[in-house]
Amino acid sequence: MTGPNPTDRGKLGTKRHHVLTDGQGIPLSVVVTAANTHDMKAAINTLDNIVVKRPSSKICRKNHNLCLDKGYDFLEIENEVIKKGYLPNIRHRGEQPITKSGKHNTRRRWVVERTNSWHNRLRKLLVRYEKKLENYFALVCLGCCILIYRRIILG
């Protein structure tokens, strides 16, 4: 799962940024792919690898929204998201940001970006030194467990 990194002179690298979180930033699914893999190819795999299954709509009676950025603006992804029972909120390419009339819109920090920042604070995950994918993926999963533990204990 290494591929040429488009931003680092073609050196081999991996992408850990396929993270699915809940509203509080708790990682529910993480997928590791090669650095040159397009986001569209890993989106459905990320949805399939959710550790905690969501409650059925009969029990919860609440719509489950899935917010995706512009990198996931493809018809295939939208159809798969609907098939899995989520309401897709996908920002379309070329769409202007929503602004309120006359008021300054405050900046909103994205939950997934914050979770990626939490991952980067774990020094072992910031730079991949492991040669085997299994070892690196186990460290990423351990990092997710540490993030969940810190979130539960520290609030």
Side-chain angles (χ1 to χ4, degrees), residues 15 30 53 73 80 88 107 128 131 136 141 143 154-155:
K15 189 186 293 185
V30 177
K53 299 297 179 193
D73 184 24
E80 279 293 320
R107 292 183 147 248
R128 178 181 172 177
K131 293 186 180 198
Y136 182 68
C141 291
L154 301 177

Side-chain angles (χ1 to χ4, degrees), residues 1-2 13-16 18 31-38 42 45 133:
M1 286 300 204
T2 59
T14 58
K15 189 186 293 185
R16 178 190 23 94
H18 304 292
V31 174
V32 176
T33 59
N36 60 345
T37 303
H38 196 274
N45 193 13
L133 173 68

Side-chain angles (χ1 to χ4, degrees), residues 62-77:
K62 184 177 171 185
N63 292 334
H64 298 280
N65 295 315
L66 186 66
C67 299
L68 300 170
D69 62 357
K70 292 180 185 180
Y72 298 101
D73 184 24
F74 294 97
L75 188 60
E76 298 89 14
I77 293 177

